[in-house]
Amino acid sequence: MTDAQQSAPYAPDPGSPPLSGTPGDPANPSTPRRIRIPHLQQFKNSGEHFAMLTAYDQYTAAIFDEAGIEVLLVGDSAANNVMGHATTLPITLDEMLVFARSVTAGASRALVVCDLPFGSYEVSPAQAVESSIRLLKEGLVHAVKLEGGAAYAPHVRALAAAGIPVMAHVGFTPQSEHALGGYRVQGRGNARHTVLDDAAALAEAGAFCVLMEMVPADVAAEVDAAVAVPTIGIGAGNATTGQVLVWQDMAGLRSGKQPRFVKAFADVRSVLAAAARSYADEVRSGTFPGPEHSF
C-alpha cells in the first residue's frame, strides 16, 4: 500500500496496493484488492490492457470478478439482453438501480460502472448529477457512464465537480440510434474529426475514460493517442486501453446474427439447453428427484 492510499477507516476494504502482478490472482499479494480509476490510468500509462464485461446480476458479477475482469458495466443493454426490448431506450433509472445493486452485491474487486439510461441526464447537468447520485448512493456503483459528444461536456464537468467519476461514450451511441439512422459505424471519412473532437472535449471536461463504439480502428487508435485518459473499445480495433463486450455475446448465450465485433468465447447457450433437456427428461421419467434428493 502506498502512502497516498490509506485503509478505509469504516469499511472492510483495506485499500488497493499499486497495480502489479497478475490481475485477479488472489494468491499474489500485490494484486489490487479493488480496481480503482488510478489502476486503469496505470494500464494506459504502461501500454497494457484491461478487460470489461457487462453484468446484470450477482452470479455473473461474482464469476467475472473471480476471473479477474477489471471493470464490470451495468449496461442499459439490460433492456435488450435481460428485459427483451428491441432497443435500450425503454429502461428506466429505477430499473437500472435494481441491476446495479445486484451487480455490486456480487463484485468485490472489479470497478463497477453503471449506465445513465436514456432520459436520466439529457435535460441538464443538474439532472445528470441527481441521477448519478442515486446510482452511487442506492446502486452502490463506483462510476457512471454517459453517452454523447462534446455537447455533453457541461454534464461531465458537473459530474466531475460533484465528485462522481464519469466514463464518456462516443462514436455509435445506442440511445441515439434513431437520430443516427440505425446501427451504423461512426467516424468514417471527415466524420473522424467529430469522434476526435468529442473524445477530447469530454476528457478535458473530466471524464476518467472514453469508450468508443463502432468506430474505425485507425480512428480509435488516433483518439487513444490524443487523449491522456484510458480508452475502451467495442468494435473499435485493438489499440484502445481496454475492451468491452456484452457478456451474453462473449459467452455465446445469444442466438441469431451477431455484430462483426463480437467473438463468442464459449457456447453457454448449448450448455444450458443440454442441462434443461436433461432435467426435463429426468423429471418426466421419474428419476429426479431420487432418494438422495429427498427427505
Side-chain angles (χ1 to χ4, degrees), residues 68-109:
I69 300 298
E70 285 85 6
V71 185
L72 296 179
L73 173 64
V74 186
D76 60 355
S77 51
N80 312 95
N81 295 290
V82 180
M83 303 173 76
H85 297 300
T87 73
T88 64
L89 299 179
I91 197 167
T92 67
L93 182 62
D94 284 340
E95 289 167 336
M96 289 297 298
L97 282 165
V98 174
F99 293 118
R101 283 299 290 266
S102 301
V103 171
T104 54
S108 61
R109 178 178 178 273

PDB file of all heavy atoms in Angstrom, residues 68-109:
ATOM      1  N   GLY A  68     -11.044 -12.185 -12.801  1.00  0.00           N
ATOM      2  CA  GLY A  68     -10.067 -11.114 -12.969  1.00  0.00           C
ATOM      3  C   GLY A  68     -10.482 -10.015 -13.921  1.00  0.00           C
ATOM      4  O   GLY A  68      -9.655  -9.193 -14.318  1.00  0.00           O
ATOM      5  N   ILE A  69     -11.763  -9.958 -14.306  1.00  0.00           N
ATOM      6  CA  ILE A  69     -12.232  -8.863 -15.150  1.00  0.00           C
ATOM      7  C   ILE A  69     -12.127  -7.568 -14.342  1.00  0.00           C
ATOM      8  O   ILE A  69     -12.669  -7.466 -13.239  1.00  0.00           O
ATOM      9  CB  ILE A  69     -13.687  -9.100 -15.602  1.00  0.00           C
ATOM     10  CG1 ILE A  69     -13.785 -10.407 -16.402  1.00  0.00           C
ATOM     11  CG2 ILE A  69     -14.205  -7.917 -16.411  1.00  0.00           C
ATOM     12  CD1 ILE A  69     -12.961 -10.427 -17.677  1.00  0.00           C
ATOM     13  N   GLU A  70     -11.438  -6.590 -14.903  1.00  0.00           N
ATOM     14  CA  GLU A  70     -11.147  -5.379 -14.119  1.00  0.00           C
ATOM     15  C   GLU A  70     -12.352  -4.448 -13.953  1.00  0.00           C
ATOM     16  O   GLU A  70     -12.489  -3.787 -12.920  1.00  0.00           O
ATOM     17  CB  GLU A  70      -9.999  -4.587 -14.777  1.00  0.00           C
ATOM     18  CG  GLU A  70      -8.631  -5.197 -14.576  1.00  0.00           C
ATOM     19  CD  GLU A  70      -8.284  -6.261 -15.599  1.00  0.00           C
ATOM     20  OE1 GLU A  70      -9.067  -6.468 -16.561  1.00  0.00           O
ATOM     21  OE2 GLU A  70      -7.223  -6.901 -15.445  1.00  0.00           O
ATOM     22  N   VAL A  71     -13.211  -4.367 -14.973  1.00  0.00           N
ATOM     23  CA  VAL A  71     -14.343  -3.430 -14.925  1.00  0.00           C
ATOM     24  C   VAL A  71     -15.622  -4.169 -15.301  1.00  0.00           C
ATOM     25  O   VAL A  71     -15.656  -4.902 -16.296  1.00  0.00           O
ATOM     26  CB  VAL A  71     -14.139  -2.243 -15.895  1.00  0.00           C
ATOM     27  CG1 VAL A  71     -15.268  -1.218 -15.724  1.00  0.00           C
ATOM     28  CG2 VAL A  71     -12.786  -1.579 -15.670  1.00  0.00           C
ATOM     29  N   LEU A  72     -16.653  -3.987 -14.509  1.00  0.00           N
ATOM     30  CA  LEU A  72     -17.977  -4.509 -14.816  1.00  0.00           C
ATOM     31  C   LEU A  72     -18.896  -3.352 -15.149  1.00  0.00           C
ATOM     32  O   LEU A  72     -18.950  -2.361 -14.405  1.00  0.00           O
ATOM     33  CB  LEU A  72     -18.549  -5.303 -13.642  1.00  0.00           C
ATOM     34  CG  LEU A  72     -17.791  -6.572 -13.245  1.00  0.00           C
ATOM     35  CD1 LEU A  72     -18.462  -7.229 -12.052  1.00  0.00           C
ATOM     36  CD2 LEU A  72     -17.690  -7.541 -14.410  1.00  0.00           C
ATOM     37  N   LEU A  73     -19.610  -3.475 -16.259  1.00  0.00           N
ATOM     38  CA  LEU A  73     -20.541  -2.436 -16.686  1.00  0.00           C
ATOM     39  C   LEU A  73     -21.972  -2.913 -16.477  1.00  0.00           C
ATOM     40  O   LEU A  73     -22.389  -3.907 -17.073  1.00  0.00           O
ATOM     41  CB  LEU A  73     -20.325  -2.101 -18.161  1.00  0.00           C
ATOM     42  CG  LEU A  73     -21.348  -1.142 -18.774  1.00  0.00           C
ATOM     43  CD1 LEU A  73     -21.290   0.232 -18.105  1.00  0.00           C
ATOM     44  CD2 LEU A  73     -21.157  -1.026 -20.280  1.00  0.00           C
ATOM     45  N   VAL A  74     -22.693  -2.203 -15.618  1.00  0.00           N
ATOM     46  CA  VAL A  74     -24.130  -2.426 -15.500  1.00  0.00           C
ATOM     47  C   VAL A  74     -24.742  -1.634 -16.651  1.00  0.00           C
ATOM     48  O   VAL A  74     -25.036  -0.448 -16.525  1.00  0.00           O
ATOM     49  CB  VAL A  74     -24.677  -1.953 -14.144  1.00  0.00           C
ATOM     50  CG1 VAL A  74     -26.153  -2.338 -14.016  1.00  0.00           C
ATOM     51  CG2 VAL A  74     -23.873  -2.535 -12.994  1.00  0.00           C
ATOM     52  N   GLY A  75     -24.866  -2.294 -17.795  1.00  0.00           N
ATOM     53  CA  GLY A  75     -25.252  -1.588 -19.009  1.00  0.00           C
ATOM     54  C   GLY A  75     -26.745  -1.418 -19.152  1.00  0.00           C
ATOM     55  O   GLY A  75     -27.529  -2.265 -18.709  1.00  0.00           O
ATOM     56  N   ASP A  76     -27.127  -0.304 -19.806  1.00  0.00           N
ATOM     57  CA  ASP A  76     -28.535  -0.181 -20.158  1.00  0.00           C
ATOM     58  C   ASP A  76     -28.895  -1.202 -21.238  1.00  0.00           C
ATOM     59  O   ASP A  76     -30.058  -1.359 -21.598  1.00  0.00           O
ATOM     60  CB  ASP A  76     -28.882   1.238 -20.590  1.00  0.00           C
ATOM     61  CG  ASP A  76     -28.096   1.720 -21.806  1.00  0.00           C
ATOM     62  OD1 ASP A  76     -27.200   0.997 -22.284  1.00  0.00           O
ATOM     63  OD2 ASP A  76     -28.366   2.852 -22.267  1.00  0.00           O
ATOM     64  N   SER A  77     -27.874  -1.928 -21.708  1.00  0.00           N
ATOM     65  CA  SER A  77     -28.111  -3.073 -22.597  1.00  0.00           C
ATOM     66  C   SER A  77     -28.903  -4.161 -21.896  1.00  0.00           C
ATOM     67  O   SER A  77     -29.358  -5.120 -22.544  1.00  0.00           O
ATOM     68  CB  SER A  77     -26.779  -3.636 -23.097  1.00  0.00           C
ATOM     69  OG  SER A  77     -25.886  -3.876 -22.020  1.00  0.00           O
ATOM     70  N   ALA A  78     -29.109  -4.045 -20.600  1.00  0.00           N
ATOM     71  CA  ALA A  78     -30.044  -4.941 -19.910  1.00  0.00           C
ATOM     72  C   ALA A  78     -31.429  -4.857 -20.538  1.00  0.00           C
ATOM     73  O   ALA A  78     -32.190  -5.821 -20.508  1.00  0.00           O
ATOM     74  CB  ALA A  78     -30.123  -4.586 -18.428  1.00  0.00           C
ATOM     75  N   ALA A  79     -31.745  -3.704 -21.124  1.00  0.00           N
ATOM     76  CA  ALA A  79     -33.033  -3.553 -21.805  1.00  0.00           C
ATOM     77  C   ALA A  79     -33.168  -4.586 -22.917  1.00  0.00           C
ATOM     78  O   ALA A  79     -34.243  -5.170 -23.106  1.00  0.00           O
ATOM     79  CB  ALA A  79     -33.163  -2.141 -22.370  1.00  0.00           C
ATOM     80  N   ASN A  80     -32.072  -4.815 -23.666  1.00  0.00           N
ATOM     81  CA  ASN A  80     -32.095  -5.801 -24.752  1.00  0.00           C
ATOM     82  C   ASN A  80     -31.896  -7.213 -24.237  1.00  0.00           C
ATOM     83  O   ASN A  80     -32.620  -8.143 -24.610  1.00  0.00           O
ATOM     84  CB  ASN A  80     -30.977  -5.514 -25.767  1.00  0.00           C
ATOM     85  CG  ASN A  80     -30.913  -4.073 -26.196  1.00  0.00           C
ATOM     86  OD1 ASN A  80     -30.151  -3.300 -25.631  1.00  0.00           O
ATOM     87  ND2 ASN A  80     -31.701  -3.705 -27.180  1.00  0.00           N
ATOM     88  N   ASN A  81     -30.876  -7.385 -23.387  1.00  0.00           N
ATOM     89  CA  ASN A  81     -30.360  -8.712 -23.069  1.00  0.00           C
ATOM     90  C   ASN A  81     -30.995  -9.366 -21.860  1.00  0.00           C
ATOM     91  O   ASN A  81     -30.776 -10.553 -21.617  1.00  0.00           O
ATOM     92  CB  ASN A  81     -28.846  -8.615 -22.863  1.00  0.00           C
ATOM     93  CG  ASN A  81     -28.136  -8.225 -24.144  1.00  0.00           C
ATOM     94  OD1 ASN A  81     -28.073  -9.003 -25.085  1.00  0.00           O
ATOM     95  ND2 ASN A  81     -27.616  -7.006 -24.192  1.00  0.00           N
ATOM     96  N   VAL A  82     -31.761  -8.617 -21.093  1.00  0.00           N
ATOM     97  CA  VAL A  82     -32.459  -9.186 -19.942  1.00  0.00           C
ATOM     98  C   VAL A  82     -33.973  -8.986 -20.071  1.00  0.00           C
ATOM     99  O   VAL A  82     -34.747  -9.911 -19.864  1.00  0.00           O
ATOM    100  CB  VAL A  82     -31.964  -8.552 -18.628  1.00  0.00           C
ATOM    101  CG1 VAL A  82     -32.711  -9.156 -17.438  1.00  0.00           C
ATOM    102  CG2 VAL A  82     -30.460  -8.738 -18.462  1.00  0.00           C
ATOM    103  N   MET A  83     -34.372  -7.769 -20.467  1.00  0.00           N
ATOM    104  CA  MET A  83     -35.794  -7.422 -20.466  1.00  0.00           C
ATOM    105  C   MET A  83     -36.487  -7.712 -21.793  1.00  0.00           C
ATOM    106  O   MET A  83     -37.713  -7.705 -21.865  1.00  0.00           O
ATOM    107  CB  MET A  83     -35.957  -5.955 -20.087  1.00  0.00           C
ATOM    108  CG  MET A  83     -35.333  -5.611 -18.740  1.00  0.00           C
ATOM    109  SD  MET A  83     -35.334  -3.841 -18.374  1.00  0.00           S
ATOM    110  CE  MET A  83     -37.060  -3.609 -17.948  1.00  0.00           C
ATOM    111  N   GLY A  84     -35.704  -7.931 -22.855  1.00  0.00           N
ATOM    112  CA  GLY A  84     -36.298  -8.314 -24.125  1.00  0.00           C
ATOM    113  C   GLY A  84     -36.753  -7.178 -25.011  1.00  0.00           C
ATOM    114  O   GLY A  84     -37.453  -7.407 -26.005  1.00  0.00           O
ATOM    115  N   HIS A  85     -36.350  -5.935 -24.720  1.00  0.00           N
ATOM    116  CA  HIS A  85     -36.709  -4.814 -25.581  1.00  0.00           C
ATOM    117  C   HIS A  85     -35.842  -4.803 -26.839  1.00  0.00           C
ATOM    118  O   HIS A  85     -34.725  -5.328 -26.854  1.00  0.00           O
ATOM    119  CB  HIS A  85     -36.531  -3.494 -24.837  1.00  0.00           C
ATOM    120  CG  HIS A  85     -37.427  -3.335 -23.638  1.00  0.00           C
ATOM    121  ND1 HIS A  85     -38.801  -3.357 -23.732  1.00  0.00           N
ATOM    122  CD2 HIS A  85     -37.139  -3.141 -22.323  1.00  0.00           C
ATOM    123  CE1 HIS A  85     -39.325  -3.194 -22.522  1.00  0.00           C
ATOM    124  NE2 HIS A  85     -38.341  -3.054 -21.651  1.00  0.00           N
ATOM    125  N   ALA A  86     -36.320  -4.146 -27.873  1.00  0.00           N
ATOM    126  CA  ALA A  86     -35.573  -4.059 -29.124  1.00  0.00           C
ATOM    127  C   ALA A  86     -34.447  -3.046 -29.050  1.00  0.00           C
ATOM    128  O   ALA A  86     -33.472  -3.140 -29.796  1.00  0.00           O
ATOM    129  CB  ALA A  86     -36.521  -3.690 -30.273  1.00  0.00           C
ATOM    130  N   THR A  87     -34.569  -2.061 -28.162  1.00  0.00           N
ATOM    131  CA  THR A  87     -33.544  -1.032 -28.002  1.00  0.00           C
ATOM    132  C   THR A  87     -33.278  -0.812 -26.514  1.00  0.00           C
ATOM    133  O   THR A  87     -33.974  -1.367 -25.651  1.00  0.00           O
ATOM    134  CB  THR A  87     -33.975   0.315 -28.617  1.00  0.00           C
ATOM    135  OG1 THR A  87     -34.982   0.924 -27.785  1.00  0.00           O
ATOM    136  CG2 THR A  87     -34.540   0.122 -30.026  1.00  0.00           C
ATOM    137  N   THR A  88     -32.319   0.037 -26.228  1.00  0.00           N
ATOM    138  CA  THR A  88     -32.014   0.363 -24.831  1.00  0.00           C
ATOM    139  C   THR A  88     -32.914   1.473 -24.286  1.00  0.00           C
ATOM    140  O   THR A  88     -32.874   1.752 -23.087  1.00  0.00           O
ATOM    141  CB  THR A  88     -30.551   0.826 -24.687  1.00  0.00           C
ATOM    142  OG1 THR A  88     -30.357   2.048 -25.421  1.00  0.00           O
ATOM    143  CG2 THR A  88     -29.581  -0.224 -25.194  1.00  0.00           C
ATOM    144  N   LEU A  89     -33.708   2.077 -25.134  1.00  0.00           N
ATOM    145  CA  LEU A  89     -34.445   3.279 -24.732  1.00  0.00           C
ATOM    146  C   LEU A  89     -35.468   3.067 -23.612  1.00  0.00           C
ATOM    147  O   LEU A  89     -35.643   3.946 -22.766  1.00  0.00           O
ATOM    148  CB  LEU A  89     -35.132   3.901 -25.949  1.00  0.00           C
ATOM    149  CG  LEU A  89     -34.205   4.354 -27.085  1.00  0.00           C
ATOM    150  CD1 LEU A  89     -35.012   4.933 -28.238  1.00  0.00           C
ATOM    151  CD2 LEU A  89     -33.195   5.369 -26.579  1.00  0.00           C
ATOM    152  N   PRO A  90     -36.181   1.940 -23.536  1.00  0.00           N
ATOM    153  CA  PRO A  90     -37.242   1.843 -22.528  1.00  0.00           C
ATOM    154  C   PRO A  90     -36.777   1.735 -21.083  1.00  0.00           C
ATOM    155  O   PRO A  90     -37.543   2.050 -20.166  1.00  0.00           O
ATOM    156  CB  PRO A  90     -37.990   0.563 -22.936  1.00  0.00           C
ATOM    157  CG  PRO A  90     -37.651   0.347 -24.368  1.00  0.00           C
ATOM    158  CD  PRO A  90     -36.240   0.818 -24.495  1.00  0.00           C
ATOM    159  N   ILE A  91     -35.569   1.277 -20.832  1.00  0.00           N
ATOM    160  CA  ILE A  91     -35.178   1.008 -19.454  1.00  0.00           C
ATOM    161  C   ILE A  91     -35.121   2.304 -18.646  1.00  0.00           C
ATOM    162  O   ILE A  91     -34.699   3.358 -19.136  1.00  0.00           O
ATOM    163  CB  ILE A  91     -33.827   0.254 -19.403  1.00  0.00           C
ATOM    164  CG1 ILE A  91     -33.630  -0.390 -18.030  1.00  0.00           C
ATOM    165  CG2 ILE A  91     -32.659   1.168 -19.750  1.00  0.00           C
ATOM    166  CD1 ILE A  91     -32.496  -1.406 -18.003  1.00  0.00           C
ATOM    167  N   THR A  92     -35.560   2.238 -17.399  1.00  0.00           N
ATOM    168  CA  THR A  92     -35.646   3.420 -16.544  1.00  0.00           C
ATOM    169  C   THR A  92     -34.517   3.447 -15.511  1.00  0.00           C
ATOM    170  O   THR A  92     -33.844   2.435 -15.287  1.00  0.00           O
ATOM    171  CB  THR A  92     -36.985   3.453 -15.797  1.00  0.00           C
ATOM    172  OG1 THR A  92     -37.019   2.366 -14.853  1.00  0.00           O
ATOM    173  CG2 THR A  92     -38.158   3.336 -16.763  1.00  0.00           C
ATOM    174  N   LEU A  93     -34.357   4.581 -14.885  1.00  0.00           N
ATOM    175  CA  LEU A  93     -33.356   4.715 -13.832  1.00  0.00           C
ATOM    176  C   LEU A  93     -33.673   3.774 -12.668  1.00  0.00           C
ATOM    177  O   LEU A  93     -32.763   3.141 -12.111  1.00  0.00           O
ATOM    178  CB  LEU A  93     -33.288   6.168 -13.344  1.00  0.00           C
ATOM    179  CG  LEU A  93     -32.241   6.464 -12.264  1.00  0.00           C
ATOM    180  CD1 LEU A  93     -30.822   6.183 -12.765  1.00  0.00           C
ATOM    181  CD2 LEU A  93     -32.358   7.930 -11.803  1.00  0.00           C
ATOM    182  N   ASP A  94     -34.945   3.666 -12.300  1.00  0.00           N
ATOM    183  CA  ASP A  94     -35.309   2.772 -11.200  1.00  0.00           C
ATOM    184  C   ASP A  94     -34.969   1.319 -11.538  1.00  0.00           C
ATOM    185  O   ASP A  94     -34.513   0.561 -10.676  1.00  0.00           O
ATOM    186  CB  ASP A  94     -36.802   2.893 -10.886  1.00  0.00           C
ATOM    187  CG  ASP A  94     -37.141   4.165 -10.125  1.00  0.00           C
ATOM    188  OD1 ASP A  94     -36.230   4.753  -9.516  1.00  0.00           O
ATOM    189  OD2 ASP A  94     -38.311   4.572 -10.154  1.00  0.00           O
ATOM    190  N   GLU A  95     -35.176   0.925 -12.787  1.00  0.00           N
ATOM    191  CA  GLU A  95     -34.822  -0.435 -13.194  1.00  0.00           C
ATOM    192  C   GLU A  95     -33.307  -0.630 -13.193  1.00  0.00           C
ATOM    193  O   GLU A  95     -32.805  -1.688 -12.785  1.00  0.00           O
ATOM    194  CB  GLU A  95     -35.414  -0.727 -14.572  1.00  0.00           C
ATOM    195  CG  GLU A  95     -36.919  -0.885 -14.539  1.00  0.00           C
ATOM    196  CD  GLU A  95     -37.570  -0.866 -15.903  1.00  0.00           C
ATOM    197  OE1 GLU A  95     -36.979  -0.295 -16.848  1.00  0.00           O
ATOM    198  OE2 GLU A  95     -38.686  -1.416 -16.030  1.00  0.00           O
ATOM    199  N   MET A  96     -32.571   0.379 -13.623  1.00  0.00           N
ATOM    200  CA  MET A  96     -31.119   0.296 -13.603  1.00  0.00           C
ATOM    201  C   MET A  96     -30.604   0.132 -12.177  1.00  0.00           C
ATOM    202  O   MET A  96     -29.601  -0.561 -11.941  1.00  0.00           O
ATOM    203  CB  MET A  96     -30.495   1.541 -14.239  1.00  0.00           C
ATOM    204  CG  MET A  96     -30.660   1.634 -15.742  1.00  0.00           C
ATOM    205  SD  MET A  96     -29.857   0.290 -16.650  1.00  0.00           S
ATOM    206  CE  MET A  96     -28.144   0.548 -16.208  1.00  0.00           C
ATOM    207  N   LEU A  97     -31.280   0.741 -11.235  1.00  0.00           N
ATOM    208  CA  LEU A  97     -30.855   0.632  -9.838  1.00  0.00           C
ATOM    209  C   LEU A  97     -30.964  -0.802  -9.329  1.00  0.00           C
ATOM    210  O   LEU A  97     -30.125  -1.252  -8.546  1.00  0.00           O
ATOM    211  CB  LEU A  97     -31.689   1.570  -8.956  1.00  0.00           C
ATOM    212  CG  LEU A  97     -31.285   3.044  -9.007  1.00  0.00           C
ATOM    213  CD1 LEU A  97     -32.378   3.921  -8.417  1.00  0.00           C
ATOM    214  CD2 LEU A  97     -29.972   3.253  -8.259  1.00  0.00           C
ATOM    215  N   VAL A  98     -31.988  -1.527  -9.769  1.00  0.00           N
ATOM    216  CA  VAL A  98     -32.130  -2.933  -9.364  1.00  0.00           C
ATOM    217  C   VAL A  98     -30.950  -3.750  -9.887  1.00  0.00           C
ATOM    218  O   VAL A  98     -30.327  -4.534  -9.152  1.00  0.00           O
ATOM    219  CB  VAL A  98     -33.459  -3.520  -9.882  1.00  0.00           C
ATOM    220  CG1 VAL A  98     -33.534  -5.013  -9.587  1.00  0.00           C
ATOM    221  CG2 VAL A  98     -34.639  -2.790  -9.249  1.00  0.00           C
ATOM    222  N   PHE A  99     -30.609  -3.564 -11.150  1.00  0.00           N
ATOM    223  CA  PHE A  99     -29.470  -4.282 -11.727  1.00  0.00           C
ATOM    224  C   PHE A  99     -28.169  -3.870 -11.050  1.00  0.00           C
ATOM    225  O   PHE A  99     -27.299  -4.707 -10.782  1.00  0.00           O
ATOM    226  CB  PHE A  99     -29.397  -4.037 -13.231  1.00  0.00           C
ATOM    227  CG  PHE A  99     -30.531  -4.641 -14.002  1.00  0.00           C
ATOM    228  CD1 PHE A  99     -31.407  -3.843 -14.725  1.00  0.00           C
ATOM    229  CD2 PHE A  99     -30.737  -6.012 -14.016  1.00  0.00           C
ATOM    230  CE1 PHE A  99     -32.455  -4.396 -15.439  1.00  0.00           C
ATOM    231  CE2 PHE A  99     -31.786  -6.585 -14.727  1.00  0.00           C
ATOM    232  CZ  PHE A  99     -32.651  -5.768 -15.440  1.00  0.00           C
ATOM    233  N   ALA A 100     -28.031  -2.570 -10.763  1.00  0.00           N
ATOM    234  CA  ALA A 100     -26.804  -2.078 -10.134  1.00  0.00           C
ATOM    235  C   ALA A 100     -26.593  -2.708  -8.767  1.00  0.00           C
ATOM    236  O   ALA A 100     -25.482  -3.173  -8.440  1.00  0.00           O
ATOM    237  CB  ALA A 100     -26.850  -0.552 -10.014  1.00  0.00           C
ATOM    238  N   ARG A 101     -27.630  -2.759  -7.952  1.00  0.00           N
ATOM    239  CA  ARG A 101     -27.494  -3.357  -6.621  1.00  0.00           C
ATOM    240  C   ARG A 101     -27.178  -4.849  -6.722  1.00  0.00           C
ATOM    241  O   ARG A 101     -26.457  -5.401  -5.884  1.00  0.00           O
ATOM    242  CB  ARG A 101     -28.778  -3.145  -5.809  1.00  0.00           C
ATOM    243  CG  ARG A 101     -28.941  -1.748  -5.256  1.00  0.00           C
ATOM    244  CD  ARG A 101     -27.833  -1.350  -4.295  1.00  0.00           C
ATOM    245  NE  ARG A 101     -27.910  -2.072  -3.043  1.00  0.00           N
ATOM    246  CZ  ARG A 101     -28.519  -1.627  -1.958  1.00  0.00           C
ATOM    247  NH1 ARG A 101     -29.117  -0.449  -1.973  1.00  0.00           N
ATOM    248  NH2 ARG A 101     -28.528  -2.339  -0.861  1.00  0.00           N
ATOM    249  N   SER A 102     -27.719  -5.506  -7.720  1.00  0.00           N
ATOM    250  CA  SER A 102     -27.454  -6.929  -7.903  1.00  0.00           C
ATOM    251  C   SER A 102     -25.992  -7.175  -8.241  1.00  0.00           C
ATOM    252  O   SER A 102     -25.361  -8.107  -7.724  1.00  0.00           O
ATOM    253  CB  SER A 102     -28.346  -7.486  -9.020  1.00  0.00           C
ATOM    254  OG  SER A 102     -29.706  -7.305  -8.713  1.00  0.00           O
ATOM    255  N   VAL A 103     -25.425  -6.329  -9.107  1.00  0.00           N
ATOM    256  CA  VAL A 103     -24.030  -6.496  -9.511  1.00  0.00           C
ATOM    257  C   VAL A 103     -23.081  -6.133  -8.380  1.00  0.00           C
ATOM    258  O   VAL A 103     -22.112  -6.849  -8.104  1.00  0.00           O
ATOM    259  CB  VAL A 103     -23.727  -5.662 -10.772  1.00  0.00           C
ATOM    260  CG1 VAL A 103     -22.224  -5.649 -11.077  1.00  0.00           C
ATOM    261  CG2 VAL A 103     -24.490  -6.224 -11.965  1.00  0.00           C
ATOM    262  N   THR A 104     -23.330  -5.033  -7.704  1.00  0.00           N
ATOM    263  CA  THR A 104     -22.430  -4.641  -6.626  1.00  0.00           C
ATOM    264  C   THR A 104     -22.481  -5.630  -5.469  1.00  0.00           C
ATOM    265  O   THR A 104     -21.510  -5.757  -4.716  1.00  0.00           O
ATOM    266  CB  THR A 104     -22.747  -3.211  -6.113  1.00  0.00           C
ATOM    267  OG1 THR A 104     -24.135  -3.115  -5.756  1.00  0.00           O
ATOM    268  CG2 THR A 104     -22.441  -2.177  -7.193  1.00  0.00           C
ATOM    269  N   ALA A 105     -23.579  -6.373  -5.348  1.00  0.00           N
ATOM    270  CA  ALA A 105     -23.650  -7.415  -4.324  1.00  0.00           C
ATOM    271  C   ALA A 105     -22.726  -8.580  -4.639  1.00  0.00           C
ATOM    272  O   ALA A 105     -22.256  -9.272  -3.736  1.00  0.00           O
ATOM    273  CB  ALA A 105     -25.086  -7.918  -4.179  1.00  0.00           C
ATOM    274  N   GLY A 106     -22.435  -8.794  -5.934  1.00  0.00           N
ATOM    275  CA  GLY A 106     -21.624  -9.937  -6.320  1.00  0.00           C
ATOM    276  C   GLY A 106     -20.172  -9.634  -6.587  1.00  0.00           C
ATOM    277  O   GLY A 106     -19.345 -10.543  -6.638  1.00  0.00           O
ATOM    278  N   ALA A 107     -19.837  -8.359  -6.771  1.00  0.00           N
ATOM    279  CA  ALA A 107     -18.473  -7.980  -7.142  1.00  0.00           C
ATOM    280  C   ALA A 107     -17.734  -7.400  -5.944  1.00  0.00           C
ATOM    281  O   ALA A 107     -18.208  -6.462  -5.310  1.00  0.00           O
ATOM    282  CB  ALA A 107     -18.501  -6.956  -8.272  1.00  0.00           C
ATOM    283  N   SER A 108     -16.578  -7.972  -5.644  1.00  0.00           N
ATOM    284  CA  SER A 108     -15.797  -7.473  -4.517  1.00  0.00           C
ATOM    285  C   SER A 108     -14.495  -6.822  -4.950  1.00  0.00           C
ATOM    286  O   SER A 108     -13.846  -6.162  -4.149  1.00  0.00           O
ATOM    287  CB  SER A 108     -15.483  -8.619  -3.549  1.00  0.00           C
ATOM    288  OG  SER A 108     -14.729  -9.621  -4.211  1.00  0.00           O
ATOM    289  N   ARG A 109     -14.111  -7.002  -6.212  1.00  0.00           N
ATOM    290  CA  ARG A 109     -12.820  -6.480  -6.662  1.00  0.00           C
ATOM    291  C   ARG A 109     -12.927  -5.544  -7.859  1.00  0.00           C
ATOM    292  O   ARG A 109     -12.219  -4.552  -7.951  1.00  0.00           O
ATOM    293  CB  ARG A 109     -11.891  -7.644  -7.019  1.00  0.00           C
ATOM    294  CG  ARG A 109     -10.532  -7.184  -7.545  1.00  0.00           C
ATOM    295  CD  ARG A 109      -9.627  -8.380  -7.849  1.00  0.00           C
ATOM    296  NE  ARG A 109      -8.366  -7.924  -8.400  1.00  0.00           N
ATOM    297  CZ  ARG A 109      -8.148  -7.695  -9.687  1.00  0.00           C
ATOM    298  NH1 ARG A 109      -9.125  -7.882 -10.553  1.00  0.00           N
ATOM    299  NH2 ARG A 109      -6.975  -7.277 -10.120  1.00  0.00           N
TER     300      ARG A 109
END
